[in-house]
Amino acid sequence: MACSGNANETCGGPVRLNVFQSSQAAPIIVQTVNNTASGKGLWTYQGCFTDSVTARTLGNGVNIPSGVTAESCTAACQAAGGFTNAGLENGHECWCDNAVHAPTQRVGDADCRMVCSATHAEFCGNQNRVAVYQFSSNGTAPGPAACLQTSLSNFTLRAQFKNPPTTGSSTVPLKIVVVEIVKNVLWTILSACPNCCSEWPSLSMSNNIVSPHSIVQATQQMASTATNDGESPNFVASIPAFPGSQSYCTMTDHAAPNGSPALLAFNNKPDAFSLCTNTSANGRLDVVFSPVTGHPHYTLDTCQPINIQVIT
């Protein structure tokens, strides 16, 4: 079929596409950057975070005439005062700081995929999304935080708001609620729904698998599944029994006083959970791991970053 813009070219046909492949490599989110200022140290990608002009995630903007890339921004932050955090935003902005400031929340990496204006080879955050890098002076990328426990019996979960409301409690209890029942399969998720019924008052963890315990069916075997960015942590009971996904552990809350509850972590990330208003379930407040833009069941602006405390 002739192209509408140039009759000398072909532009597919009814239910047919002309497919072209570029010889240029697809852009990537750079994971590590060597420190070129002194030849020592390493910058490591920490994740994609929300940002706004009224509450900056990283507070110091720097101008880079040659163009913003992961390499140029981290070097500029190092030169501007030895900042330990650098961030790429909106395809062409560079931000620096020594801390990642509230009320930001960590979101899925897909939200930080705007191609850098300076190079097609890299992504540079996105509009109101900053890709954050952290500096390590010893030249070694920081490893995942150490798990405190991989097995634990008889606990409950509680959401702790990272940005507490001005009135009311800074924590809310979490519960297991049913979202789908099909033949021989029961799907549940983690929610803060205050009026939802739940027959699973407690949970246990064995070899990184979390299992809710039913007070109605004592022999029921329910286990945690793998969770993608933007989705709710879910648990399934099935026939035959689902073996479970070894993805969870508890971690020490280093920002809290000694004796505070441990935090639940998924894939070694205790800092990626939010409570989001589920618009497809009458506004139910559900837990979401690394929420994303454009999800059919919630709007990212309604999500509130939380820690999940493990109560024993």
Side-chain angles (χ1 to χ4, degrees), residues 42 46 130 145 176 186 203 277 306:
L42 187 73
Q46 298 297 300
V130 56
I176 304 295
L186 173 67
L203 307 93
T277 302
I306 60 169

Side-chain angles (χ1 to χ4, degrees), residues 16-294:
R16 296 294 184 269
L17 293 172
N18 289 120
V19 177
F20 299 85
Q21 184 175 17
S22 173
S23 60
Q24 195 172 31
I28 62 170
I29 296 177
V30 174
Q31 297 298 305
T32 59
V33 179
N34 289 319
N35 176 29
T36 57
S38 65
K40 297 180 180 179
L42 187 73
W43 292 86
T44 305
Y45 176 67
Q46 298 297 300
C48 182
F49 294 81
T50 58
D51 192 25
S52 74
V53 295
T54 57
R56 286 296 183 188
T57 301
L58 303 177
N60 302 276
V62 294
N63 181 45
I64 304 177
S66 61
V68 171
T69 64
E71 294 79 8
S72 67
C73 182
T74 52
C77 288
Q78 186 76 27
F83 289 109
T84 56
N85 289 283
L88 315 175
E89 185 168 357
N90 207 26
H92 61 89
E93 298 174 14
C94 177
W95 296 87
C96 313
D97 213 316
N98 288 318
V100 177
H101 299 292
T104 188
Q105 63 181 315
R106 184 172 183 158
V107 295
D109 287 346
D111 268 25
C112 276
R113 290 183 178 171
M114 177 182 285
V115 175
C116 301
S117 299
T119 174
H120 180 273
E122 299 179 14
F123 289 121
C124 284
N126 211 327
Q127 186 175 15
N128 296 326
R129 300 290 183 270
V130 56
V132 175
Y133 293 80
Q134 186 179 64
F135 180 66
S136 170
S137 60
N138 63 13
T140 302
C147 286
L148 180 65
Q149 297 159 306
T150 58
S151 295
L152 183 66
S153 61
N154 196 30
F155 62 88
T156 60
L157 298 174
R158 182 172 68 189
Q160 177 191 45
F161 293 104
K162 293 183 180 179
N163 309 309
T166 54
T167 59
S169 177
S170 62
T171 63
V172 293
L174 298 176
K175 62 179 68 172
I176 304 295
V177 299
V178 176
V179 292
E180 186 176 6
I181 301 175
V182 296
K183 185 178 180 180
N184 294 331
V185 182
L186 173 67
W187 289 93
T188 66
I189 63 169
L190 198 56
S191 177
C193 174
N195 300 317
C196 295
C197 295
S198 177
E199 65 179 73
W200 301 272
S202 66
L203 307 93
S204 65
M205 180 166 53
S206 177
N207 295 324
N208 304 98
I209 299 172
V210 173
S211 298
H213 297 295
S214 171
I215 56 173
V216 177
Q217 302 179 61
T219 60
Q220 182 187 74
Q221 298 182 50
M222 181 175 284
S224 53
T225 72
T227 299
N228 295 323
D229 284 357
E231 302 301 328
S232 294
N234 49 73
F235 310 86
V236 63
S238 62
I239 301 174
F242 177 67
S245 174
Q246 294 177 296
S247 306
Y248 288 92
C249 71
T250 68
M251 291 186 174
T252 301
D253 186 354
H254 294 290
N258 290 337
S260 297
L263 302 181
L264 186 69
F266 178 79
N267 284 346
N268 292 99
K269 297 177 182 177
D271 62 343
F273 294 107
S274 291
L275 279 177
C276 302
T277 302
N278 190 332
T279 55
S280 64
N282 297 318
R284 187 180 63 210
L285 205 57
D286 294 338
V287 175
V288 174
F289 178 78
S290 289
V292 297
T293 301

